[in-house]
Amino acid sequence: MTSVKPYFVQALHEWITDNGLTPLVVIDASYPGARVPDGVIEDGKVTLNVSYDAAENIQMDDELMTFNARFGGVSHAVIVPMESITAIYARENGKGMMFDVDHEEADTDDQSADETAESSENKSSKPHLKLVD
């Protein structure tokens, strides 16, 4: 199955925007494929304003969020793998959602579907869902 995270990110981005608020995403900057200016990384994380006013040409699909943004007055192309997003929320009230980031998933994309299904059957872990007000 495909990841549900891109669907939640896109839906929450739209919901926050429709309510006249500012959507922010927090990303794990060490995730493979993440491209942000070095000067904005703090403790391996980056909080990005992804409102239509701040992010020019924002595009979202199942794999990536891409846009151009100014950092210190200089325009940069930003590439955010959807799986690197740890949270999306409204700046004004904090409403949103947090996510886990699985670095192993990025490293094992070449694993076959049979191996994935077999390993999933052998694990008896509970889902990792968090309630965010």
Side-chain angles (χ1 to χ4, degrees):
M1 283 183 71
T2 59
S3 174
V4 71
K5 186 186 288 188
Y7 297 94
F8 282 136
V9 170
Q10 291 176 47
L12 286 166
H13 183 274
E14 184 177 343
W15 175 71
I16 292 166
T17 301
D18 286 353
N19 282 282
L21 304 175
T22 308
L24 302 178
V25 293
V26 180
I27 70 160
D28 180 343
S30 67
Y31 194 88
R35 189 170 116 191
V36 296
D38 290 329
V40 299
I41 300 171
E42 247 182 65
D43 297 325
K45 306 260 187 229
V46 178
T47 301
L48 299 168
N49 178 341
V50 291
S51 68
Y52 291 113
D53 292 336
E56 184 178 312
N57 300 323
I58 189 165
Q59 299 291 317
M60 287 184 266
D61 62 28
D62 293 348
E63 300 293 321
L64 298 172
M65 175 187 294
T66 60
F67 56 91
N68 294 317
R70 293 193 170 276
F71 297 89
V74 179
S75 183
H76 291 272
V78 178
I79 300 172
V80 178
M82 282 293 191
E83 291 303 319
S84 72
I85 297 174
T86 62
I88 181 168
Y89 63 96
R91 177 175 55 198
E92 293 81 0
N93 63 14
K95 301 282 185 186
M97 185 177 287
M98 295 177 68
F99 307 99
D100 289 329
V101 173
D102 187 4
H103 284 274
E104 290 178 18
E105 187 172 299
D107 296 334
T108 59
D109 284 341
D110 59 346
Q111 188 177 31
S112 74
D114 291 337
E115 290 172 330
T116 304
E118 184 178 334
S119 67
S120 296
E121 291 172 6
N122 293 334
K123 294 180 183 177
S124 60
S125 64
K126 294 182 179 178
H128 299 283
L129 298 176
K130 296 177 184 178
L131 178 63
V132 179
D133 292 322

